[in-house]
Amino acid sequence: MTRSITRRQLLASSAGVSSLALLSGCPPPAVKPTPKPSAPPKPALQTGLDPYFEKQLGITPELIRKVLSAALEHGGDFADVYFQHASRMTIGLEDNIVNKASTGVDLGVGIRVVVGDQTGYAFTEEVDEASMIAAAKTAAGIASASAKTAPVSLTPKGHPRHYDIDYNWFDVGVDRVIPMVAAINDKTHKTDPRIQRVTVDFLSSQSRVLVADSEGRVSSDNRPMTRLFLSVVMSDKGQLQSNGYNLAARQGIEFYTPERLDRLVRRAVNRTSVLFEAKRPPGGELPVVLAAGSSGILLHEAIGHGMEADFNRKKTSIFSDRIGKQVAQRFVSIIDDGTNAGLRGSLNVDDEGRGTERTYLVKDGILRSYLHDRISATHYKVAPTGSGRRQSFRHAPMPRMRNTYMLNGPHKKDEIIASVKKGIYCVSFTNGQVNIGAGDYSFYVKNGTMIEDGKLTAPIKDINIIGNGPQSLERVTMVADDFEMDEGGWTCGKNGQSVPVSLGLPTILVSAITVGGKA
Amino acid sequence: MSGDLTRLAEQTIERAGKAGAQQSAALISRRRFIDLQYRDGKLEKITESKTSSLSLDLYVDGRFSSHSSSDLRPQILKPFVARAVAMTRLLGADKHRGLADPALYDNRPTTDIQIYDPAYEQVTTDRRKAIASAIERTARAQEGPIISVTSGYYDALGESAQVHSNGFSGYRRATQFWMGGEVSVKDEGGRRPEDWYWVGGRFLSELPGAKVIGREAANRALARLGQVKLDSGHMTVVVENRASRSLMRHFMKAMSGSSLQQQRSFLTDKLGKRVGSSAFHLVDEPLLPRALGSRHYDSDGISAKKRTLVDRGKLTSYLIDVYYGRKLGAAPTTNGTSNLVMGLGKRSKEAIIKSVKKGVFISGFLGGNSDSTVGDFSHGIVGFEIRDGKLGRPIGEMNITGNHLSLWTKLVEVGNDPYLYSTMHIPTLVFEALSVSGK
């Protein structure tokens, strides 16, 4: 049972600090490329006004109009309502028994009133007319003009879909998940006699949302999500080591193919057993080669957060005033994308009801675009980039990343490793963090290897890497052609709100970053 | 108020029993809050709402599951409970699952822990705005290249009722108040360093004034101008009280019953043994008046009591909850600390710094992690160099790296300044010869 979160915990990600955490352990070296970022699925239109909300919850267009009118009763430039009905299930295995499960249901509506860049926000978990009107009046408190509301005419918007909105995880019972979880446990135990403990944690969730605003836009989405985490503890000559691997996607149970589950087991075990030989590297400034895949954590921390337009509007990002400037070599292009098929950070519509897109943060070395929500897009007089996201109906949206990755470059992986005299090769990560204004970021390396005289040598573990965002981008001196999207699940925290994201990267070389280690 | 939450918890338990659960526990919580931010002279955002939730733990035929819902309507709850019980039956049986032995509910303390501030009901939204606005104004008025100031104020009244089918019933009502500011300043080379100062507590009257907070936030940010990176080496490390909790959290993770039973704890077999220097003294103190972590019972329903965890360097108690206690064959202590209070030293932070010839002062961590199985850690640091007893240039882009089993033996002194705006009252810590990496 949990108690309510304290303000202090919320602030762990405040003060211009944003953090990224793996759902707990760590992800991949190089096997086979998962979804190609440049090949979005064939678009299909989806409905703008999901009848579910009217049928199940009595949310009629008439009721939405009434709530929007109440929200604008003191003036205000804009108002929106965000309905959400979400459910979640987890199943856990420990000590060879599927011995815990949980379910959760969340239902409510958030109402926002915007005046310039000021926001009034209120939510209610009771979706009856009286409660919603009361919440709308609370949110309206931000505005102080007299009523000037013309009735809103609602126009449902269609959007291309990047995942299956007709899927429903709640048609998939515990009885279908338990055998899969049990089989992963058996298989893991059979892989290596040194395995002492295995835990498997499965999650599925389904979130239906409907967003309507005072400009008449109505959009809805139905978002599946799943993740699977495998952790192992191994013992060798009296020594213990633990590690894991995880999978996550905005997909249904078909995501868990036999090949993927084999890889889950293999990597969890390999990444643990290698720790028996692993050492801490010497600390200090070293060349760092980042393996293809989850090393995209570099982009998330070193540039992604700094490109969220709210920080720039407030002039508190190190990337403020740098649009149009060269920030990296010509072969560096970095994208934040909501349109990749079935990825954890993908969205058909963002949480302001806008279609998502593929946004170049850096194209051919030039800083191109911030990530915008409605408030920042209005401020900068540009179109929103479909980046307005929120944790739930209890939160106002803000600009956030979706799937952040770098495109392939002109080099080869082997050539990159061969170019390093003494450095480290980083493979898996657990968490990262950034100070937006100073630009200093860090991430934690769980698995890696020393590079000595151009060759991969001894395994290393548990070191933090810390650098400066713009400086590290300038120091990306080689980019390989082996792009990989991470298949694991990342959760990004900012101002107390968590949202799912994905990461990807080809193998790259950063010529110098400060590596933790033995002094 | 207390009556209706408790009644709903009791009804839920009853429903779970009728649906086939042999045991169950229900927690109903309700909270109302206001959260507001000022930025650069005006109100930027205000959020105000009430929220409630139910969580239900079920024990059905030796099987366990937990469930939560924000939808408390009776017509929803009834099928919700029935479905939850049916789902639980599909899981594997685990003989260790079950509610606490009711004897652990006995002797619940009645100490007045003062976690509810009656003044809460008199706080108006105008006053909340005035506090946040004054923090913002004061910070912005400080001398220096300030780019942006954001201040905030948050308060909440929370209530919860917890009922177990084997005789536990508890209710609590608590207030909390938080306020602070975040300041960004303009530095050379496009850098815009930031820092913050936030305070929080159970009673509004116990917190410092808005001007103190605003000045502190601005001065901390301004002190970050001209950051440098030092050479790598072994050196004395002084960790400021507000940052020291990060290190402590990683140590505490290895204390839990789940880490121990799952063989993921570097503290396995250390009970009764030395895990730190004599300056390392940790007590779980649940009954401190007005403290953020104070409570009469934990979430297993176990009656709270003061417990020494580390006695002058020697490990004296783990944190073992009911479930892992059964799995380990050990008596449960508690499933988590209330107020984690560290034994204090005699000197202030300033006096400590004065006695350090060469070292680093850490005012915050940036990322990093720790492996609880073996104790290895590595963290990014932000702070200042110490030279000849004085704080020097701000430092950053550096890491400290080590292992928790040796870290705490290098604790040579603790300050007299516990950080009270948290459930971990940890003072300034001084470690000898830590591995610091930079240039």
Side-chain angles (χ1 to χ4, degrees):
Chain A
M1 294 194 178
T2 53
R3 304 213 174 266
S4 66
I5 191 166
T6 69
R7 177 69 184 172
R8 200 49 249 158
Q9 287 167 291
L10 293 177
L11 286 168
S13 57
S14 188
V17 177
S18 296
S19 65
L20 180 71
L22 197 52
L23 300 169
S24 64
C26 345
V31 172
K32 65 170 191 184
T34 28
K36 271 274 180 263
S38 48
K42 226 164 76 189
L45 285 185
Q46 65 177 57
T47 162
L49 185 58
D50 184 348
Y52 174 88
F53 286 89
E54 180 161 355
K55 252 192 270 167
Q56 300 294 322
L57 303 166
I59 312 297
T60 59
E62 185 49 37
L63 183 54
I64 294 172
R65 275 195 291 271
K66 269 192 201 165
V67 174
L68 284 170
S69 296
L72 290 176
E73 70 176 18
H74 295 301
D77 304 331
F78 175 82
D80 62 9
V81 292
Y82 181 87
F83 295 91
Q84 185 179 29
H85 194 185
S87 331
R88 145 191 90 69
M89 173 175 87
T90 68
I91 288 174
L93 175 144
E94 182 180 286
D95 294 333
N96 305 310
I97 312 171
V98 178
N99 65 358
K100 59 188 163 186
S102 75
T103 64
V105 178
D106 216 11
L107 170 65
V109 55
I111 297 155
R112 173 172 68 146
V113 177
V114 177
V115 187
D117 52 10
Q118 297 173 283
T119 302
Y121 199 80
F123 65 82
T124 170
E125 290 148 350
E126 287 157 32
V127 293
D128 56 88
E129 181 171 336
S131 303
M132 286 194 277
I133 298 288
K137 285 176 190 285
T138 302
I142 193 79
S144 51
S146 54
K148 51 151 197 179
T149 47
V152 178
S153 135
L154 299 173
T155 314
K157 297 277 179 204
H159 301 279
R161 50 205 257 186
H162 312 300
Y163 41 85
D164 184 3
I165 59 161
D166 299 320
Y167 194 81
N168 187 0
W169 264 105
F170 289 83
D171 297 338
V172 181
V174 202
D175 51 323
R176 281 182 66 194
V177 179
I178 288 175
M180 177 174 85
V181 165
I184 293 167
N185 178 57
D186 291 345
K187 196 174 171 75
T188 308
H189 274 291
K190 279 180 199 141
T191 307
D192 194 310
R194 294 175 295 173
I195 289 171
Q196 300 291 306
R197 305 274 174 183
V198 173
T199 56
V200 186
D201 289 290
F202 169 87
L203 171 139
S204 61
S205 72
Q206 197 70 44
S207 172
R208 281 181 186 271
V209 300
L210 185 151
V211 202
D213 68 32
S214 56
E215 290 162 1
R217 178 181 291 100
V218 189
S219 303
S220 47
D221 200 359
N222 185 14
R223 303 169 177 168
M225 177 65 75
T226 185
R227 69 159 216 243
L228 182 62
F229 205 97
L230 170 63
S231 311
V232 300
V233 178
M234 296 174 73
S235 164
D236 195 355
K237 302 183 188 81
Q239 198 197 346
L240 292 166
Q241 292 289 354
S242 62
N243 208 344
Y245 190 77
N246 81 101
L247 303 167
R250 212 180 267 299
Q251 293 183 45
I253 198 156
E254 76 287 347
F255 172 64
Y256 299 110
T257 59
E259 299 74 45
R260 209 184 279 283
L261 295 180
D262 282 351
R263 188 160 64 241
L264 170 80
V265 171
R266 199 167 58 243
R267 287 189 176 169
V269 174
N270 289 347
R271 286 174 182 201
T272 309
S273 61
V274 72
L275 296 176
F276 291 111
E277 272 78 57
K279 301 278 184 300
R280 315 300 273 285
E285 284 185 8
L286 290 173
V288 173
V289 178
L290 297 167
S294 61
S295 305
I297 189 169
L298 170 85
L299 307 179
H300 185 100
E301 304 299 358
I303 176 168
H305 276 298
M307 295 298 282
E308 290 165 342
D310 48 348
F311 296 119
N312 291 289
R313 181 169 60 81
K314 299 170 188 175
K315 303 203 182 311
T316 58
S317 165
I318 194 155
F319 289 102
S320 301
D321 314 323
R322 291 201 190 183
I323 293 287
K325 304 229 165 92
Q326 177 154 7
V327 295
Q329 305 226 30
R330 290 286 171 198
F331 50 75
V332 173
S333 290
I334 302 167
I335 288 170
D336 186 81
D337 197 340
T339 68
N340 313 98
L343 283 189
R344 183 168 157 85
S346 296
L347 292 171
N348 292 324
V349 294
D350 73 359
D351 295 320
E352 296 184 310
R354 309 260 173 174
T356 50
E357 60 161 44
R358 184 170 188 253
T359 312
Y360 274 95
L361 303 179
V362 176
K363 189 168 190 192
D364 303 329
I366 309 287
L367 202 67
R368 280 284 294 271
S369 171
Y370 296 135
L371 296 172
H372 290 287
D373 64 359
R374 188 189 179 279
I375 289 180
S376 73
T378 306
H379 175 92
Y380 282 99
K381 301 186 174 61
V382 296
T385 56
S387 308
R389 301 186 64 184
R390 44 182 134 198
Q391 177 176 314
S392 76
F393 67 87
R394 296 187 180 85
H395 304 269
M398 53 185 162
R400 301 297 294 262
M401 280 174 269
R402 297 153 303 194
N403 307 308
T404 313
Y405 53 88
M406 185 186 286
L407 298 181
N408 276 334
H411 305 97
K412 298 281 175 203
K413 178 186 169 189
D414 294 347
E415 170 191 12
I416 292 176
I417 289 168
S419 75
V420 176
K421 185 146 176 49
K422 186 183 166 207
I424 61 167
Y425 175 68
C426 304
V427 174
S428 78
F429 310 86
T430 58
N431 55 293
Q433 206 173 330
V434 59
N435 279 334
I436 310 293
D440 295 343
Y441 68 89
S442 88
F443 54 81
Y444 191 80
V445 180
K446 185 69 205 178
N447 292 105
T449 313
M450 285 297 301
I451 308 176
E452 289 161 296
D453 295 322
K455 293 198 174 61
L456 293 174
T457 56
I460 56 170
K461 72 185 286 273
D462 289 303
I463 45 154
N464 197 57
I465 283 191
I466 190 162
N468 182 266
Q471 202 175 63
S472 294
L473 280 182
E474 283 170 22
R475 291 179 180 173
V476 174
T477 50
M478 296 175 95
V479 176
D481 57 356
D482 58 350
F483 173 83
E484 216 182 293
M485 204 76 207
D486 185 14
E487 62 184 337
W490 295 87
T491 297
C492 170
K494 173 179 167 184
N495 298 344
Q497 292 195 48
S498 295
V499 297
V501 296
S502 289
L503 311 167
L505 198 74
T507 302
I508 68 166
L509 170 65
V510 186
S511 60
I513 323 184
T514 298
V515 175
K518 285 181 290 195
Chain B
M1 282 291 260
S2 101
D4 76 275
L5 285 192
T6 303
R7 231 175 354 261
L8 184 53
E10 285 165 355
Q11 284 162 2
T12 309
I13 293 300
E14 222 170 279
R15 205 162 271 152
K18 280 188 192 142
Q22 286 81 24
Q23 287 192 320
S24 61
L27 175 73
I28 316 278
S29 349
R30 205 184 270 159
R31 181 166 56 99
R32 80 170 192 248
F33 71 92
I34 292 194
D35 188 359
L36 54 91
Q37 278 118 50
Y38 268 72
R39 183 172 68 85
D40 302 341
K42 63 179 188 188
L43 180 65
E44 175 161 84
K45 189 176 161 199
I46 176 163
T47 306
E48 179 175 356
S49 282
K50 289 181 230 167
T51 172
S52 26
S53 70
L54 165 147
S55 75
L56 173 66
D57 287 356
L58 294 174
Y59 301 87
V60 186
D61 306 336
R63 289 153 174 89
F64 167 77
S65 66
S66 67
H67 307 270
S68 70
S69 177
S70 67
D71 193 341
L72 306 187
R73 289 171 296 168
Q75 71 269 32
I76 299 292
L77 282 183
K78 200 172 168 185
F80 175 81
V81 172
R83 271 198 313 273
V85 170
M87 174 198 189
T88 313
R89 291 208 165 97
L90 300 174
L91 303 174
D94 181 346
K95 62 180 180 190
H96 303 296
R97 293 286 184 192
L99 292 171
D101 176 349
L104 295 165
Y105 305 151
D106 293 346
N107 304 314
R108 189 188 306 169
T110 52
T111 322
D112 182 8
I113 50 177
Q114 301 179 49
I115 55 175
Y116 170 74
D117 182 357
Y120 170 83
E121 300 294 345
Q122 274 77 58
V123 182
T124 60
T125 295
D126 282 345
R127 174 143 179 233
R128 295 170 170 117
K129 287 180 181 170
I131 292 171
S133 161
I135 293 171
E136 194 273 335
R137 218 170 34 244
T138 310
R140 209 153 29 89
Q142 302 305 302
E143 199 71 34
I146 291 173
I147 305 170
S148 181
V149 177
T150 302
S151 66
Y153 175 95
Y154 170 95
D155 65 33
L157 168 65
E159 289 181 281
S160 71
Q162 185 173 333
V163 176
H164 297 186
S165 61
N166 67 346
F168 176 87
S169 179
Y171 169 81
R172 54 183 259 143
R173 181 173 62 158
T175 46
Q176 51 176 317
F177 302 86
W178 292 91
M179 58 186 75
E182 297 159 21
V183 178
S184 299
V185 297
K186 189 149 178 74
D187 203 351
E188 299 298 308
R191 286 175 65 88
R192 295 152 195 256
E194 58 266 271
D195 210 337
W196 57 270
Y197 194 74
W198 273 83
V199 299
R202 295 277 176 216
F203 275 61
L204 184 56
S205 60
E206 304 249 306
L207 300 177
K211 288 186 177 164
V212 174
I213 297 168
R215 265 197 303 274
E216 186 70 20
N219 292 335
R220 279 179 175 267
L222 289 164
R224 305 263 1 118
L225 292 169
Q227 173 181 303
V228 297
K229 191 194 288 197
L230 304 178
D231 289 333
S232 304
H234 284 89
M235 55 193 90
T236 300
V237 171
V238 181
V239 185
E240 190 177 18
N241 61 2
R242 75 170 188 175
S244 55
R245 289 167 298 136
S246 303
L247 289 176
M248 188 59 73
R249 234 175 256 128
H250 290 288
F251 179 84
M252 295 307 293
K253 191 177 170 208
M255 294 278 264
S256 76
S258 76
S259 296
L260 292 161
Q261 193 271 334
Q262 286 295 305
Q263 297 178 277
R264 293 168 184 277
S265 170
F266 61 84
L267 293 175
T268 299
D269 298 330
K270 295 283 184 214
L271 200 61
K273 295 190 183 136
R274 184 157 285 284
V275 292
S277 72
S278 59
F280 190 32
H281 190 78
L282 281 181
V283 183
D284 184 29
E285 294 231 35
L287 303 176
L288 295 178
R290 303 192 179 190
L292 283 164
S294 293
R295 64 190 186 199
H296 286 152
Y297 52 89
D298 72 9
S299 56
D300 279 339
I302 300 180
S303 291
K305 87 180 190 207
K306 183 172 168 173
R307 178 174 278 109
T308 301
L309 305 175
V310 177
D311 188 356
R312 279 170 272 258
K314 204 171 81 180
L315 186 68
T316 50
S317 177
Y318 291 126
L319 300 173
I320 299 192
D321 67 4
V322 168
Y323 175 64
Y324 286 100
R326 289 199 185 115
K327 271 189 148 178
L328 286 162
T333 55
T334 180
N335 57 9
T337 53
S338 53
N339 300 295
L340 182 66
V341 178
M342 191 160 190
L344 298 182
K346 296 220 162 26
R347 301 201 291 174
S348 66
K349 170 176 90 180
E350 290 76 16
I352 288 172
I353 292 167
K354 222 172 258 181
S355 63
V356 176
K357 204 162 156 38
K358 185 170 176 293
V360 295
F361 176 77
I362 297 177
S363 58
F365 289 100
L366 183 65
N369 208 333
S370 166
D371 176 338
S372 74
T373 306
V374 297
D376 286 346
F377 70 82
S378 185
H379 295 277
I381 61 171
V382 173
F384 299 87
E385 63 177 341
I386 307 177
R387 281 179 107 167
D388 299 322
K390 289 201 186 75
L391 287 189
R393 297 168 296 177
I395 57 159
E397 265 194 82
M398 298 175 66
N399 293 301
I400 60 166
T401 300
N403 185 288
H404 277 281
L405 286 171
S406 62
L407 175 71
W408 300 97
T409 64
K410 295 176 181 170
L411 181 68
V412 290
E413 185 175 355
V414 298
N416 62 1
D417 54 350
Y419 191 76
L420 298 176
Y421 311 129
S422 160
T423 58
M424 289 192 171
H425 299 184
I426 313 296
T428 295
L429 305 177
V430 188
F431 298 97
E432 223 170 37
L434 292 194
S435 194
V436 179
S437 54
K439 279 197 284 200

